Amino acid sequence: MKQQDTPSPLPLENIKVLELGQLIAGPYCGQVLADFGADVVKVEPPGKGDAMRQWGEADRVSGDPLWWNVIGRNKQSLTLDLRQPRGQDVLRQLATHADVIIENFRPGTMERWGLSYQELSRHNPKLVMVRVTGFGQDGPYATRAGFASVCEAMGGLRYLSGYPDRPPVRVGISIGDTLAGLHAALGTMMALHQRERSGQGQVVDSSIFESVLAMMENLIPEYARAGKVRERSGSFLPKIAPSNAYPARDGRDVIIGANQDTVFRRLCEAMGQPRLADHPDYATHRARGENQQTIDDLVAAWTQQHDASHIVDILAKAGVPAGLVYRAPDMLDDPHFQARESIVEVPDRHGHPLPMQNVFPRLSSTPGSIRSVGPALGEHTHTVLTDWLAFSTDTLDALRTDNVI
């Protein structure tokens, strides 16, 4: 892992973003934009800031929670009380200079504060407002609280996660939030591109439940046209074989995906059983789907004779997709991760190197970069209000005295 150099230029470095959201969904959108150079100013409540500053495991040395370093990276922190009329007025002034506003409050909150898109775009017609919520800006559930766990369930993911003989399980991360943030970032780029043609901004409405629903492949058509309700299947996908986790001799599992005809043939050859590829029960995709359990048993009988790493080496040479189930230490030790700098070390606020995932996707000419970890609360309040709005020292002191900033 090397500390990442800052590339120049960055693709979004002329885009100004105000991030009003908290927790994960809205801020992840801001993280993506900031990673590629957008000037993202995170607006936080004075005194306490985003709750993400307190989430996750703490650093063993400093005691600081670690997650904030990632989701707050490359951003500036401005404290501003949006519940106070004077704070709302400052936000209106900032919005006249912004290209994008990200918010993930419940629908109606911005309107109650006098910060609706209609109000803000009246003074800045080019403004793009990105609204990230659980259930979207309209519909009968719009005003419901919408955490990722609930929206993942309603979007179809929770029902499919786990094994058929036990209740559904949750994926071990807040995938619904990050999917909504990723869709929000995608929508932001589309809206900015359209603005180049029309000169007008618009609203991007990204909901968590629909962001999960978008990942559900052919689940809806399968039910509507084939009467099939997809069920939990554990570590494999029904009718896709062989593609599963297989036990190795040393107790580890190996993930093997060899369901394509030509790849299955290569697997059979690597297993020393080339005739299996021509057997009528296994020769085609549909045939293998009908005989999925038998195939999995055959592959498992072979993998149990070898250590996991040896299996991966054999199959890599044979051109069969295979890999181990990685944890964080495996990722840090892996030579491919190291060669691609998939994980980089960034100085934390105390100057100590902190490893974290790099910026993705990679752009060949103008890649994103990590320039800083999550900022201290209010670290850039003076700078932003001075640079964006030319506030005087007296004005800043008055706002600070009244706990507006």
Side-chain angles (χ1 to χ4, degrees), residues 253-271:
D253 285 335
V254 180
I255 306 300
I256 300 175
N259 47 290
Q260 188 180 6
D261 290 351
T262 54
V263 181
F264 178 66
R265 182 173 295 277
R266 293 198 292 268
L267 172 63
C268 293
E269 292 171 354
M271 291 167 54

mmCIF file with all atom_site columns, all heavy atoms in Angstrom, residues 253-271:
data_model
loop_
_atom_site.group_PDB
_atom_site.id
_atom_site.type_symbol
_atom_site.label_atom_id
_atom_site.label_alt_id
_atom_site.label_comp_id
_atom_site.label_asym_id
_atom_site.label_entity_id
_atom_site.label_seq_id
_atom_site.pdbx_PDB_ins_code
_atom_site.Cartn_x
_atom_site.Cartn_y
_atom_site.Cartn_z
_atom_site.occupancy
_atom_site.B_iso_or_equiv
_atom_site.pdbx_formal_charge
_atom_site.auth_seq_id
_atom_site.auth_comp_id
_atom_site.auth_asym_id
_atom_site.auth_atom_id
_atom_site.pdbx_PDB_model_num
ATOM 1   N N   . ASP A 1 253 ? -13.298 -22.584 2.498   1.00 0.00 ? 253 ASP A N   1
ATOM 2   C CA  . ASP A 1 253 ? -14.193 -22.731 1.359   1.00 0.00 ? 253 ASP A CA  1
ATOM 3   C C   . ASP A 1 253 ? -13.585 -22.056 0.140   1.00 0.00 ? 253 ASP A C   1
ATOM 4   O O   . ASP A 1 253 ? -12.909 -21.024 0.249   1.00 0.00 ? 253 ASP A O   1
ATOM 5   C CB  . ASP A 1 253 ? -15.559 -22.103 1.649   1.00 0.00 ? 253 ASP A CB  1
ATOM 6   C CG  . ASP A 1 253 ? -16.402 -22.946 2.586   1.00 0.00 ? 253 ASP A CG  1
ATOM 7   O OD1 . ASP A 1 253 ? -16.175 -24.165 2.641   1.00 0.00 ? 253 ASP A OD1 1
ATOM 8   O OD2 . ASP A 1 253 ? -17.278 -22.382 3.262   1.00 0.00 ? 253 ASP A OD2 1
ATOM 9   N N   . VAL A 1 254 ? -13.845 -22.645 -1.019  1.00 0.00 ? 254 VAL A N   1
ATOM 10  C CA  . VAL A 1 254 ? -13.420 -22.065 -2.291  1.00 0.00 ? 254 VAL A CA  1
ATOM 11  C C   . VAL A 1 254 ? -14.669 -21.752 -3.107  1.00 0.00 ? 254 VAL A C   1
ATOM 12  O O   . VAL A 1 254 ? -15.548 -22.610 -3.262  1.00 0.00 ? 254 VAL A O   1
ATOM 13  C CB  . VAL A 1 254 ? -12.510 -23.024 -3.078  1.00 0.00 ? 254 VAL A CB  1
ATOM 14  C CG1 . VAL A 1 254 ? -12.090 -22.387 -4.403  1.00 0.00 ? 254 VAL A CG1 1
ATOM 15  C CG2 . VAL A 1 254 ? -11.299 -23.409 -2.264  1.00 0.00 ? 254 VAL A CG2 1
ATOM 16  N N   . ILE A 1 255 ? -14.766 -20.525 -3.600  1.00 0.00 ? 255 ILE A N   1
ATOM 17  C CA  . ILE A 1 255 ? -15.864 -20.153 -4.477  1.00 0.00 ? 255 ILE A CA  1
ATOM 18  C C   . ILE A 1 255 ? -15.469 -20.509 -5.906  1.00 0.00 ? 255 ILE A C   1
ATOM 19  O O   . ILE A 1 255 ? -14.436 -20.047 -6.402  1.00 0.00 ? 255 ILE A O   1
ATOM 20  C CB  . ILE A 1 255 ? -16.180 -18.650 -4.377  1.00 0.00 ? 255 ILE A CB  1
ATOM 21  C CG1 . ILE A 1 255 ? -16.427 -18.251 -2.913  1.00 0.00 ? 255 ILE A CG1 1
ATOM 22  C CG2 . ILE A 1 255 ? -17.384 -18.295 -5.249  1.00 0.00 ? 255 ILE A CG2 1
ATOM 23  C CD1 . ILE A 1 255 ? -17.579 -18.960 -2.257  1.00 0.00 ? 255 ILE A CD1 1
ATOM 24  N N   . ILE A 1 256 ? -16.277 -21.313 -6.559  1.00 0.00 ? 256 ILE A N   1
ATOM 25  C CA  . ILE A 1 256 ? -16.016 -21.709 -7.939  1.00 0.00 ? 256 ILE A CA  1
ATOM 26  C C   . ILE A 1 256 ? -17.250 -21.375 -8.772  1.00 0.00 ? 256 ILE A C   1
ATOM 27  O O   . ILE A 1 256 ? -18.375 -21.704 -8.398  1.00 0.00 ? 256 ILE A O   1
ATOM 28  C CB  . ILE A 1 256 ? -15.719 -23.222 -8.045  1.00 0.00 ? 256 ILE A CB  1
ATOM 29  C CG1 . ILE A 1 256 ? -14.490 -23.590 -7.207  1.00 0.00 ? 256 ILE A CG1 1
ATOM 30  C CG2 . ILE A 1 256 ? -15.514 -23.631 -9.509  1.00 0.00 ? 256 ILE A CG2 1
ATOM 31  C CD1 . ILE A 1 256 ? -14.209 -25.095 -7.152  1.00 0.00 ? 256 ILE A CD1 1
ATOM 32  N N   . GLY A 1 257 ? -17.021 -20.715 -9.893  1.00 0.00 ? 257 GLY A N   1
ATOM 33  C CA  . GLY A 1 257 ? -18.094 -20.412 -10.834 1.00 0.00 ? 257 GLY A CA  1
ATOM 34  C C   . GLY A 1 257 ? -17.751 -20.994 -12.196 1.00 0.00 ? 257 GLY A C   1
ATOM 35  O O   . GLY A 1 257 ? -16.909 -20.447 -12.906 1.00 0.00 ? 257 GLY A O   1
ATOM 36  N N   . ALA A 1 258 ? -18.401 -22.102 -12.543 1.00 0.00 ? 258 ALA A N   1
ATOM 37  C CA  . ALA A 1 258 ? -18.075 -22.787 -13.801 1.00 0.00 ? 258 ALA A CA  1
ATOM 38  C C   . ALA A 1 258 ? -19.347 -23.191 -14.522 1.00 0.00 ? 258 ALA A C   1
ATOM 39  O O   . ALA A 1 258 ? -19.427 -24.272 -15.117 1.00 0.00 ? 258 ALA A O   1
ATOM 40  C CB  . ALA A 1 258 ? -17.197 -24.001 -13.524 1.00 0.00 ? 258 ALA A CB  1
ATOM 41  N N   . ASN A 1 259 ? -20.355 -22.342 -14.489 1.00 0.00 ? 259 ASN A N   1
ATOM 42  C CA  . ASN A 1 259 ? -21.650 -22.702 -15.052 1.00 0.00 ? 259 ASN A CA  1
ATOM 43  C C   . ASN A 1 259 ? -21.733 -22.530 -16.565 1.00 0.00 ? 259 ASN A C   1
ATOM 44  O O   . ASN A 1 259 ? -22.628 -23.068 -17.202 1.00 0.00 ? 259 ASN A O   1
ATOM 45  C CB  . ASN A 1 259 ? -22.756 -21.888 -14.376 1.00 0.00 ? 259 ASN A CB  1
ATOM 46  C CG  . ASN A 1 259 ? -22.439 -20.415 -14.275 1.00 0.00 ? 259 ASN A CG  1
ATOM 47  O OD1 . ASN A 1 259 ? -21.558 -20.056 -13.500 1.00 0.00 ? 259 ASN A OD1 1
ATOM 48  N ND2 . ASN A 1 259 ? -23.132 -19.583 -15.029 1.00 0.00 ? 259 ASN A ND2 1
ATOM 49  N N   . GLN A 1 260 ? -20.827 -21.781 -17.176 1.00 0.00 ? 260 GLN A N   1
ATOM 50  C CA  . GLN A 1 260 ? -20.824 -21.657 -18.630 1.00 0.00 ? 260 GLN A CA  1
ATOM 51  C C   . GLN A 1 260 ? -20.279 -22.946 -19.254 1.00 0.00 ? 260 GLN A C   1
ATOM 52  O O   . GLN A 1 260 ? -19.388 -23.599 -18.696 1.00 0.00 ? 260 GLN A O   1
ATOM 53  C CB  . GLN A 1 260 ? -19.967 -20.463 -19.050 1.00 0.00 ? 260 GLN A CB  1
ATOM 54  C CG  . GLN A 1 260 ? -20.045 -20.135 -20.529 1.00 0.00 ? 260 GLN A CG  1
ATOM 55  C CD  . GLN A 1 260 ? -19.182 -18.935 -20.886 1.00 0.00 ? 260 GLN A CD  1
ATOM 56  O OE1 . GLN A 1 260 ? -18.444 -18.426 -20.049 1.00 0.00 ? 260 GLN A OE1 1
ATOM 57  N NE2 . GLN A 1 260 ? -19.281 -18.503 -22.135 1.00 0.00 ? 260 GLN A NE2 1
ATOM 58  N N   . ASP A 1 261 ? -20.803 -23.319 -20.420 1.00 0.00 ? 261 ASP A N   1
ATOM 59  C CA  . ASP A 1 261 ? -20.444 -24.611 -21.028 1.00 0.00 ? 261 ASP A CA  1
ATOM 60  C C   . ASP A 1 261 ? -18.938 -24.795 -21.165 1.00 0.00 ? 261 ASP A C   1
ATOM 61  O O   . ASP A 1 261 ? -18.384 -25.827 -20.752 1.00 0.00 ? 261 ASP A O   1
ATOM 62  C CB  . ASP A 1 261 ? -21.101 -24.753 -22.401 1.00 0.00 ? 261 ASP A CB  1
ATOM 63  C CG  . ASP A 1 261 ? -22.607 -24.928 -22.313 1.00 0.00 ? 261 ASP A CG  1
ATOM 64  O OD1 . ASP A 1 261 ? -23.111 -25.113 -21.189 1.00 0.00 ? 261 ASP A OD1 1
ATOM 65  O OD2 . ASP A 1 261 ? -23.268 -24.870 -23.363 1.00 0.00 ? 261 ASP A OD2 1
ATOM 66  N N   . THR A 1 262 ? -18.250 -23.827 -21.774 1.00 0.00 ? 262 THR A N   1
ATOM 67  C CA  . THR A 1 262 ? -16.813 -23.985 -22.012 1.00 0.00 ? 262 THR A CA  1
ATOM 68  C C   . THR A 1 262 ? -16.030 -23.994 -20.710 1.00 0.00 ? 262 THR A C   1
ATOM 69  O O   . THR A 1 262 ? -15.036 -24.711 -20.576 1.00 0.00 ? 262 THR A O   1
ATOM 70  C CB  . THR A 1 262 ? -16.300 -22.862 -22.920 1.00 0.00 ? 262 THR A CB  1
ATOM 71  O OG1 . THR A 1 262 ? -16.656 -21.587 -22.345 1.00 0.00 ? 262 THR A OG1 1
ATOM 72  C CG2 . THR A 1 262 ? -16.911 -22.957 -24.313 1.00 0.00 ? 262 THR A CG2 1
ATOM 73  N N   . VAL A 1 263 ? -16.489 -23.203 -19.731 1.00 0.00 ? 263 VAL A N   1
ATOM 74  C CA  . VAL A 1 263 ? -15.790 -23.160 -18.451 1.00 0.00 ? 263 VAL A CA  1
ATOM 75  C C   . VAL A 1 263 ? -16.011 -24.461 -17.687 1.00 0.00 ? 263 VAL A C   1
ATOM 76  O O   . VAL A 1 263 ? -15.101 -24.974 -17.031 1.00 0.00 ? 263 VAL A O   1
ATOM 77  C CB  . VAL A 1 263 ? -16.253 -21.944 -17.617 1.00 0.00 ? 263 VAL A CB  1
ATOM 78  C CG1 . VAL A 1 263 ? -15.506 -21.898 -16.288 1.00 0.00 ? 263 VAL A CG1 1
ATOM 79  C CG2 . VAL A 1 263 ? -16.033 -20.653 -18.386 1.00 0.00 ? 263 VAL A CG2 1
ATOM 80  N N   . PHE A 1 264 ? -17.213 -25.012 -17.778 1.00 0.00 ? 264 PHE A N   1
ATOM 81  C CA  . PHE A 1 264 ? -17.477 -26.286 -17.111 1.00 0.00 ? 264 PHE A CA  1
ATOM 82  C C   . PHE A 1 264 ? -16.567 -27.382 -17.682 1.00 0.00 ? 264 PHE A C   1
ATOM 83  O O   . PHE A 1 264 ? -16.051 -28.228 -16.941 1.00 0.00 ? 264 PHE A O   1
ATOM 84  C CB  . PHE A 1 264 ? -18.942 -26.692 -17.278 1.00 0.00 ? 264 PHE A CB  1
ATOM 85  C CG  . PHE A 1 264 ? -19.268 -28.010 -16.658 1.00 0.00 ? 264 PHE A CG  1
ATOM 86  C CD1 . PHE A 1 264 ? -19.201 -28.179 -15.277 1.00 0.00 ? 264 PHE A CD1 1
ATOM 87  C CD2 . PHE A 1 264 ? -19.632 -29.102 -17.439 1.00 0.00 ? 264 PHE A CD2 1
ATOM 88  C CE1 . PHE A 1 264 ? -19.485 -29.402 -14.688 1.00 0.00 ? 264 PHE A CE1 1
ATOM 89  C CE2 . PHE A 1 264 ? -19.922 -30.328 -16.861 1.00 0.00 ? 264 PHE A CE2 1
ATOM 90  C CZ  . PHE A 1 264 ? -19.849 -30.485 -15.487 1.00 0.00 ? 264 PHE A CZ  1
ATOM 91  N N   . ARG A 1 265 ? -16.353 -27.352 -18.978 1.00 0.00 ? 265 ARG A N   1
ATOM 92  C CA  . ARG A 1 265 ? -15.463 -28.343 -19.584 1.00 0.00 ? 265 ARG A CA  1
ATOM 93  C C   . ARG A 1 265 ? -14.050 -28.207 -19.014 1.00 0.00 ? 265 ARG A C   1
ATOM 94  O O   . ARG A 1 265 ? -13.375 -29.208 -18.723 1.00 0.00 ? 265 ARG A O   1
ATOM 95  C CB  . ARG A 1 265 ? -15.466 -28.178 -21.098 1.00 0.00 ? 265 ARG A CB  1
ATOM 96  C CG  . ARG A 1 265 ? -14.590 -29.199 -21.834 1.00 0.00 ? 265 ARG A CG  1
ATOM 97  C CD  . ARG A 1 265 ? -14.767 -29.096 -23.334 1.00 0.00 ? 265 ARG A CD  1
ATOM 98  N NE  . ARG A 1 265 ? -16.114 -29.461 -23.733 1.00 0.00 ? 265 ARG A NE  1
ATOM 99  C CZ  . ARG A 1 265 ? -16.546 -30.697 -23.923 1.00 0.00 ? 265 ARG A CZ  1
ATOM 100 N NH1 . ARG A 1 265 ? -15.694 -31.722 -23.743 1.00 0.00 ? 265 ARG A NH1 1
ATOM 101 N NH2 . ARG A 1 265 ? -17.787 -30.939 -24.290 1.00 0.00 ? 265 ARG A NH2 1
ATOM 102 N N   . ARG A 1 266 ? -13.593 -26.956 -18.855 1.00 0.00 ? 266 ARG A N   1
ATOM 103 C CA  . ARG A 1 266 ? -12.251 -26.749 -18.299 1.00 0.00 ? 266 ARG A CA  1
ATOM 104 C C   . ARG A 1 266 ? -12.172 -27.221 -16.847 1.00 0.00 ? 266 ARG A C   1
ATOM 105 O O   . ARG A 1 266 ? -11.149 -27.761 -16.408 1.00 0.00 ? 266 ARG A O   1
ATOM 106 C CB  . ARG A 1 266 ? -11.857 -25.279 -18.422 1.00 0.00 ? 266 ARG A CB  1
ATOM 107 C CG  . ARG A 1 266 ? -11.673 -24.824 -19.867 1.00 0.00 ? 266 ARG A CG  1
ATOM 108 C CD  . ARG A 1 266 ? -10.885 -23.536 -19.947 1.00 0.00 ? 266 ARG A CD  1
ATOM 109 N NE  . ARG A 1 266 ? -11.593 -22.385 -19.412 1.00 0.00 ? 266 ARG A NE  1
ATOM 110 C CZ  . ARG A 1 266 ? -12.365 -21.569 -20.132 1.00 0.00 ? 266 ARG A CZ  1
ATOM 111 N NH1 . ARG A 1 266 ? -12.552 -21.810 -21.432 1.00 0.00 ? 266 ARG A NH1 1
ATOM 112 N NH2 . ARG A 1 266 ? -12.952 -20.535 -19.575 1.00 0.00 ? 266 ARG A NH2 1
ATOM 113 N N   . LEU A 1 267 ? -13.243 -27.029 -16.095 1.00 0.00 ? 267 LEU A N   1
ATOM 114 C CA  . LEU A 1 267 ? -13.275 -27.517 -14.718 1.00 0.00 ? 267 LEU A CA  1
ATOM 115 C C   . LEU A 1 267 ? -13.176 -29.036 -14.690 1.00 0.00 ? 267 LEU A C   1
ATOM 116 O O   . LEU A 1 267 ? -12.414 -29.618 -13.890 1.00 0.00 ? 267 LEU A O   1
ATOM 117 C CB  . LEU A 1 267 ? -14.554 -27.055 -14.016 1.00 0.00 ? 267 LEU A CB  1
ATOM 118 C CG  . LEU A 1 267 ? -14.798 -27.658 -12.621 1.00 0.00 ? 267 LEU A CG  1
ATOM 119 C CD1 . LEU A 1 267 ? -13.697 -27.239 -11.647 1.00 0.00 ? 267 LEU A CD1 1
ATOM 120 C CD2 . LEU A 1 267 ? -16.176 -27.254 -12.096 1.00 0.00 ? 267 LEU A CD2 1
ATOM 121 N N   . CYS A 1 268 ? -13.919 -29.694 -15.551 1.00 0.00 ? 268 CYS A N   1
ATOM 122 C CA  . CYS A 1 268 ? -13.893 -31.162 -15.585 1.00 0.00 ? 268 CYS A CA  1
ATOM 123 C C   . CYS A 1 268 ? -12.491 -31.667 -15.891 1.00 0.00 ? 268 CYS A C   1
ATOM 124 O O   . CYS A 1 268 ? -12.018 -32.651 -15.293 1.00 0.00 ? 268 CYS A O   1
ATOM 125 C CB  . CYS A 1 268 ? -14.892 -31.680 -16.620 1.00 0.00 ? 268 CYS A CB  1
ATOM 126 S SG  . CYS A 1 268 ? -16.624 -31.371 -16.192 1.00 0.00 ? 268 CYS A SG  1
ATOM 127 N N   . GLU A 1 269 ? -11.811 -30.998 -16.811 1.00 0.00 ? 269 GLU A N   1
ATOM 128 C CA  . GLU A 1 269 ? -10.447 -31.399 -17.150 1.00 0.00 ? 269 GLU A CA  1
ATOM 129 C C   . GLU A 1 269 ? -9.507  -31.186 -15.965 1.00 0.00 ? 269 GLU A C   1
ATOM 130 O O   . GLU A 1 269 ? -8.649  -32.039 -15.674 1.00 0.00 ? 269 GLU A O   1
ATOM 131 C CB  . GLU A 1 269 ? -9.976  -30.620 -18.374 1.00 0.00 ? 269 GLU A CB  1
ATOM 132 C CG  . GLU A 1 269 ? -10.723 -31.001 -19.652 1.00 0.00 ? 269 GLU A CG  1
ATOM 133 C CD  . GLU A 1 269 ? -10.414 -30.080 -20.816 1.00 0.00 ? 269 GLU A CD  1
ATOM 134 O OE1 . GLU A 1 269 ? -9.707  -29.063 -20.594 1.00 0.00 ? 269 GLU A OE1 1
ATOM 135 O OE2 . GLU A 1 269 ? -10.880 -30.365 -21.939 1.00 0.00 ? 269 GLU A OE2 1
ATOM 136 N N   . ALA A 1 270 ? -9.675  -30.050 -15.260 1.00 0.00 ? 270 ALA A N   1
ATOM 137 C CA  . ALA A 1 270 ? -8.829  -29.775 -14.093 1.00 0.00 ? 270 ALA A CA  1
ATOM 138 C C   . ALA A 1 270 ? -9.076  -30.788 -12.980 1.00 0.00 ? 270 ALA A C   1
ATOM 139 O O   . ALA A 1 270 ? -8.161  -31.134 -12.218 1.00 0.00 ? 270 ALA A O   1
ATOM 140 C CB  . ALA A 1 270 ? -9.086  -28.355 -13.584 1.00 0.00 ? 270 ALA A CB  1
ATOM 141 N N   . MET A 1 271 ? -10.308 -31.272 -12.897 1.00 0.00 ? 271 MET A N   1
ATOM 142 C CA  . MET A 1 271 ? -10.654 -32.272 -11.887 1.00 0.00 ? 271 MET A CA  1
ATOM 143 C C   . MET A 1 271 ? -10.196 -33.672 -12.291 1.00 0.00 ? 271 MET A C   1
ATOM 144 O O   . MET A 1 271 ? -10.332 -34.618 -11.499 1.00 0.00 ? 271 MET A O   1
ATOM 145 C CB  . MET A 1 271 ? -12.172 -32.279 -11.666 1.00 0.00 ? 271 MET A CB  1
ATOM 146 C CG  . MET A 1 271 ? -12.706 -31.026 -10.988 1.00 0.00 ? 271 MET A CG  1
ATOM 147 S SD  . MET A 1 271 ? -14.530 -30.905 -11.079 1.00 0.00 ? 271 MET A SD  1
ATOM 148 C CE  . MET A 1 271 ? -15.035 -32.482 -10.392 1.00 0.00 ? 271 MET A CE  1
#
